Every structure is written in structure tokens, then in C-alpha cells.
Amino acid sequence: PGTKTGYSGVYKGLYLDNPPDGHWWVGSGPGINNGIGRVYHAGYIANMTGAQIQPEDFSSEKSYVGGKDWHDVTLIRDEDGFVYSWLDGDYVGWSTDKTVDIPASERFFVAMYDQTKTPLQHPMVLDDVRIYKNKYIPPVNSIAYDSASGSIVIKGWGATLEKIAAAVNDPTVFAYDRATSTATCSKDITIEAGSELRIENGKLLMASNDGRERKIKYHTDTIIKIFNSTLASADGRPLVFVRENRSRFQNVNFKNTFKVVNSTLSNCGGLFLERPVALSLENSKFIDLVGDCPIKVLFRWPLQELKIKGCTFKGKTGSEKIVFQGGDQFGELAPKPAGMDIVDCDFSGVVLEFLADAPYYLSADKPGCTANLINTKAGSVKASDSAVRFKYYLDVKVVGAVRVIGGTATDGKPVVVEATVTVRNEKDDVNYPAENLLTGTKYFLTAKQVAPDGKPHFIGQSNWLKGRADVNDGRTVVTGRSGNTALPADAANTLVLTAKEIRDGAKETFTYTIIAANINHNKLPMQSVAGVAPDETWYRPEPNVPQNTVTIALPPEGAKK
């Protein structure tokens, strides 16, 4: 952290700094306003302590702010690097920015006065400070059935199916079979702000025994993790996700963590994730989806974690929409935005739609959505003020010729153990080169970022931001002992080609020239194949099983260059 911000490593750890914009930011040491350390938002902790803002500034929250009252403040940074904060037991939003640059904090700094004023003008007083290592203690940690609302209410972290059953202690509300790790829930579930529901190696069946659809309600910064499990209806009536918010401090920012890995979600809909900080959908099935738009993701803020890989999406009728909106606001800048990657998925059972977000204070224009559909099967795809790139894996096999009596012949064997394979886009090798599967991040100074037409991407701010960036160009690779280029399992060395791009209704297709050379005999002639045109027939149901292989035979040793 010290080297990135220009300060020494003495300031390792979390530092709460209040810059002139009134927000508290998590960085790596004093002075982070002057460097790229100011990229992590830790919440409106100024409101929490009352040291910065006087009661008259927030008359509706006089019981929560003011320089004369004591308040209980709780801060948690979890194992994934996300920060959460509470005031007097109430969750405070704007908290889950990932502190990826300080993965092993050794110190925790708190500014003891208003840094925008003369030092000690509004001094803070701290008492009874407690710090725990790898032990998360939210101020409220409970699970209870609220008969008035008809909902099981989860507050705090670590709520599993078995823990819910033990806390509710009523099989007519929530029954759990430990032998099969199966729970049947006959009421709604509410996950309060800053709280977690974890389903792991089990099955949760939602039963509408009263004739109504069962609901899972979630609030600001909720954490939903489903690993190796099933979430489904017990009786055919759909499960509906409902986004709610009753936080005193937050009205619109839902920066959720939603992870589904090796699992199945069935007969459900209504999942709206606005500004998630982590979205991981991996090797899972989302089937029998219901409603006009069962899943919608709005990327108004940059994600700290994004993975959509190996998943199947299927609606009950096939007309259901999966919508991704926005996404190009911060690190994904023109002329070559990195975009969001959707890898090895099947959307043929739904309508896939990409939309631009509405303009807001950080953007001069409507932020679009750039999507990379890598080896992904799709039926109907729509893009409005957005770009969709269809990409496929390339498999190249380099073989050698052998001398026989009367001439040469190719037996197809990879006698060329190692060869270089270079790929060139025949239309635009700058913006659409051959790539690998790596993703990365870079820092951007927004005041200096402009679009090709000269307009600034952002207005009103000049600080550094960290976002996803294009770091995966891979024009040249080396074959292995099989003579083939790498499979997708080798993310750094596999080859990915853009077949076509749809941008606002216009379609552009690409062709490629592939050049092979013997890495050990540079005097031998190179061989190339031109006009290679990837298309939807290149889709691989099994990503690591090659198909549409391009074979190139190199001349035998002794041939003239």
C-alpha cells in the first residue's frame, strides 16, 4: 500500500479519512486524498460519531448525531476484504467496498478531529475500543420468527439452515432434516441490512401452505451465499425475491453480495441486484425462472468481484428476460472497455438484454454496458446503447511434415513439439485482438479520462478510481506437446477470438489470420491460414474439448525459408 500511495509502509492497515466531500474513505495511510489510496468507501461514519456534523445539519436524525452524545460504533472487515459498519445497532450503508490493497492490516487508524477544519476544532473521544482477529461480532446477531409479519428475520452473520431451525424451534414454520440437510420453510425469510444467509451443502424448499407465494426479502448490503445446494419451491408456487430497505442511513444503495456456486435455483424470480459489490454465479442452474424479468443486475458502481461462468438460465416460457444494465462507468473506459465477461454459459432459454444506465452525477452521458459472451450460447439478445461481443475459443494444432521417398507428406503427428502461434485480426487488431481469459484492474484518474469525441467520461470529481481494465491481450502463444494451443483450463494461454459485435443494432464480424512457426528452427518458413471466421458453430458444450480445430503443417527440417 505504501508504494502505491507514495507513502512508506509504516501506514499499513485501515485508515479512516474524512476528505472535503464529507465521506469517510478507507485507505492505506495519512494523506490518501493526494494519492490513489482514496478508492474505498467506509460509510458515513461522520454521521455515526457526531464529531463532524452538528444536529442542526440533520434535524431528522438528532437522536443519532451531535457532538455531546456517546454512540456505539462497530466496524467489521471480513475475509473477503469488505467493510461493514453499524451505529448503535443500526446498520450504516455505503460500507462494502473491498480493501484489496490492504489484505493483511496490522493497524487501525481513526482521525480524531475534523480534517477539513483547523485541527481539533471538533475533537472526538473514543472509549472502550475492542479489536478481534478473524472473529466477526455484529452488534445484533439473532434469528427469530416474527408472527406479526409472517417472516423469519435474520440479523447478523452466519445464519445457516440448521441454525435457523434451532432458533425458530417450530417445525410448522421451519422444519429441518439433518440426515438429508433439507429444510422446508413455510413462511417468508427477511435478511436485514448487513446480514447474511448462507446455504451450504443443503436444500431449502419454500412451501406456500397458505396459498401465497413465498418470499425472500433482502436489504442493504445483504450477503447471500449458496454453495453446493438447492433453493426451490416445495409445492410448485414460485419463490419471489423482494428487495426492501428500511435503513435510517441509506435509501437507494443496495451493494449486495450474491454468490451461487455449484447449485440450483428453481421456480424463482424477482431478483434485482442494484450496485452489487460481489456477483459470483458459477457452475449453477437457474431454471424454471418466472416473471417478466426474473434477474436484473444494475452495475452503477464498479464490482469488486464479478464471475458468471458455467451457468444455465432457463425460463418457464422462454420469454423471461435476464437484464444487465450499465457497467462502463468507471474502469471500463473507451475506446476499449474491458466489459463484463459471461463465460461458458447457456442463455438459450431466456431473452438476454443489455441496457445503458440513466445519466447521474458521475457520468457525463448514459453509461452503457459492454458484455463479452465467451463461449456462451444465447437465443434472443438485445442491446440498447450497449455493446455485446460474441467470443469463442480457438484451437490450433501445429503438425510437422516428414520426408518420404519421392517427396514429403504430412502424417498429422505433432512432430513440432513447440511452435509459436500468432493470431491477427484482419479488420481491427488494436481493439479486437486475440485474448486470453485473464481479467485485471487498473487505476484511472477520472479528470484525465476523455472519450474519443473529447467529452469527459466523468464530471464533478478528480480522484482516482480503480476498475476492471483490459489486460488480457494474447496475440501469441506456444503450443504444448500435443501440438495444440492451450485449453480454457489454462486461462493465461488459451486463445479467445471475437466473432462479432452488436452495438446499438449494428453488427460487425471479424476474420483472422493464424501464423505458425517452429520455435526451435527459426530458419524454417512460417505457415499461415487466412480468413478464419469464428461463429456460433464454435460453441463448445464442454469448454475443454476442442472443436473446429485449425491445423497448420510446418515444412520439414531442411526446407528452404
Side-chain angles (χ1 to χ4, degrees):
T3 57
K4 289 187 177 180
T5 59
Y7 294 88
S8 70
V10 173
Y11 298 108
K12 271 196 297 187
L14 296 178
Y15 182 86
L16 304 184
D17 188 15
N18 186 24
D21 63 7
H23 298 178
W24 284 78
W25 299 83
V26 179
S28 56
I32 57 176
N33 289 333
N34 299 321
I36 56 179
R38 181 188 155 191
V39 291
Y40 307 110
H41 208 311
Y44 288 101
I45 303 175
N47 297 4
M48 296 171 64
T49 61
Q52 311 291 327
I53 301 175
Q54 300 307 303
E56 58 268 21
D57 295 329
F58 288 82
S59 58
S60 63
E61 298 179 3
K62 286 185 178 180
S63 61
Y64 277 82
V65 299
K68 296 182 180 180
D69 299 325
W70 287 95
H71 301 284
D72 292 326
V73 176
T74 302
L75 298 172
I76 292 178
R77 196 195 70 178
D78 67 9
E79 69 275 11
D80 294 325
F82 295 115
V83 179
Y84 303 79
S85 52
W86 289 261
L87 165 65
D88 296 331
D90 283 344
Y91 184 74
V92 180
W94 278 88
S95 64
T96 53
D97 288 309
K98 191 173 184 179
T99 55
V100 292
D101 279 348
I102 37 181
S105 297
E106 297 177 359
R107 302 181 184 181
F108 193 87
F109 297 85
V110 179
M112 297 298 290
Y113 54 86
D114 187 344
Q115 293 192 337
T116 67
K117 305 292 183 181
T118 303
L120 301 181
Q121 183 171 343
H122 299 299
M124 286 198 301
V125 178
L126 270 68
D127 189 20
D128 192 16
V129 177
R130 306 176 188 181
I131 299 177
Y132 302 89
K133 182 178 181 180
N134 296 328
K135 185 177 182 181
Y136 311 131
I137 308 177
V140 180
N141 207 352
S142 66
I143 303 170
Y145 172 60
D146 180 15
S147 58
S149 64
S151 186
I152 298 171
V153 180
I154 297 173
K155 298 180 180 180
W157 290 10
T160 63
L161 298 181
E162 189 167 8
K163 288 182 179 179
I164 295 173
V168 172
N169 195 28
D170 185 349
T172 65
V173 174
F174 194 93
Y176 181 70
D177 184 349
R178 181 177 294 179
T180 62
S181 300
T182 299
T184 302
C185 181
S186 302
K187 302 295 180 180
D188 296 341
I189 295 176
T190 298
I191 311 168
E192 290 290 349
S195 299
E196 176 190 39
L197 171 64
R198 179 184 288 264
I199 305 173
E200 192 166 6
N201 300 315
K203 181 181 292 187
L204 174 58
L205 304 177
M206 304 296 287
S208 54
N209 55 356
D210 54 4
R212 297 183 303 171
E213 297 171 340
R214 290 276 70 89
K215 299 177 181 178
I216 293 182
K217 305 175 183 179
Y218 58 98
H219 289 255
T220 302
D221 290 357
T222 51
I223 306 166
I224 300 177
K225 295 182 177 180
I226 304 173
F227 300 146
N228 306 306
S229 298
T230 297
L231 174 59
S233 167
D235 48 24
R237 291 191 64 84
L239 159 66
V240 180
F241 287 92
V242 179
R243 194 191 75 168
E244 294 189 335
N245 188 42
R246 292 192 301 268
S247 172
R248 178 183 296 270
F249 302 99
Q250 191 61 265
N251 294 319
V252 296
N253 296 293
F254 286 78
K255 304 178 71 179
N256 310 79
T257 294
F258 188 74
K259 296 186 177 184
V260 181
V261 180
N262 299 325
S263 298
T264 298
L265 269 65
S266 176
N267 201 15
C268 61
L271 184 62
F272 178 32
L273 299 175
E274 182 182 5
R275 312 174 187 179
V277 295
L279 175 63
S280 295
L281 311 178
E282 188 174 2
N283 299 327
S284 296
K285 295 181 180 180
F286 301 81
I287 56 177
D288 290 330
L289 299 173
V290 298
D292 177 64
C293 182
I295 302 175
K296 181 177 182 179
V297 183
L298 174 59
F299 299 112
R300 179 159 289 183
W301 301 106
L303 271 76
Q304 302 291 352
E305 181 178 352
L306 171 62
K307 178 180 284 188
I308 304 176
K309 183 177 182 181
C311 294
T312 299
F313 299 83
K314 185 177 181 180
K316 279 187 176 294
T317 68
S319 63
E320 292 80 5
K321 297 179 182 178
I322 306 296
V323 176
F324 298 95
Q325 185 171 9
D328 291 349
Q329 295 89 340
F330 288 88
E332 301 164 11
L333 304 177
K336 190 183 176 186
M340 57 173 292
D341 292 344
I342 298 176
V343 184
D344 301 338
C345 290
D346 185 349
F347 287 88
S348 60
V350 294
V351 175
L352 190 56
E353 191 165 352
F354 300 91
L355 303 174
D357 193 10
Y360 60 102
Y361 80 101
L362 279 178
S363 178
D365 299 301
K366 291 192 299 184
C369 183
T370 299
N372 303 307
L373 304 186
I374 303 173
N375 191 48
T376 289
K377 188 176 182 181
S380 176
V381 178
K382 300 179 181 180
S384 177
D385 293 321
S386 299
V388 182
R389 298 165 178 171
F390 297 81
K391 303 185 178 185
Y392 300 96
Y393 301 123
L394 170 66
D395 183 62
V396 178
K397 184 171 184 177
V398 181
V399 298
V402 295
R403 290 191 178 279
V404 296
I405 297 175
T408 60
T410 299
D411 60 6
K413 294 181 180 180
V415 296
V416 179
V417 175
E418 285 188 327
T420 60
V421 173
T422 300
V423 181
R424 184 176 69 248
N425 188 316
E426 295 173 348
K427 183 178 290 186
D428 184 351
D429 198 48
V430 174
N431 294 305
Y432 303 90
E435 302 170 316
N436 56 43
L437 287 176
L438 296 181
T439 59
T441 56
K442 290 183 180 179
Y443 286 101
F444 301 95
L445 183 58
T446 58
K448 295 182 179 179
Q449 295 294 338
V450 295
D453 59 5
K455 294 181 180 179
H457 278 280
F458 308 104
I459 57 176
Q461 289 206 357
S462 60
N463 55 290
W464 288 84
L465 294 166
K466 186 174 184 179
R468 298 180 67 245
D470 194 309
V471 298
N472 62 345
D473 292 358
R475 294 174 174 85
T476 300
V477 297
V478 177
T479 60
R481 291 189 173 276
S482 67
N484 293 75
T485 51
L487 295 171
D490 183 354
N493 294 297
T494 194
L495 288 169
V496 178
L497 305 184
T498 302
K500 67 179 178 180
E501 178 183 81
I502 297 176
R503 184 183 294 270
D504 302 329
K507 182 175 73 172
E508 184 175 15
T509 59
F510 302 96
T511 57
Y512 296 83
T513 295
I514 303 171
I515 305 167
N518 192 319
I519 196 172
N520 297 318
H521 300 278
N522 56 14
K523 293 183 179 181
L524 292 178
M526 296 184 296
Q527 296 293 313
S528 64
V529 175
V532 176
D535 58 26
E536 60 273 6
T537 64
W538 285 37
Y539 169 73
R540 302 184 190 178
E542 297 293 334
N544 287 295
V545 177
Q547 64 184 53
N548 295 86
T549 298
V550 177
T551 301
I552 300 178
L554 292 180
E557 295 185 28
K560 295 182 179 180
K561 186 173 181 179

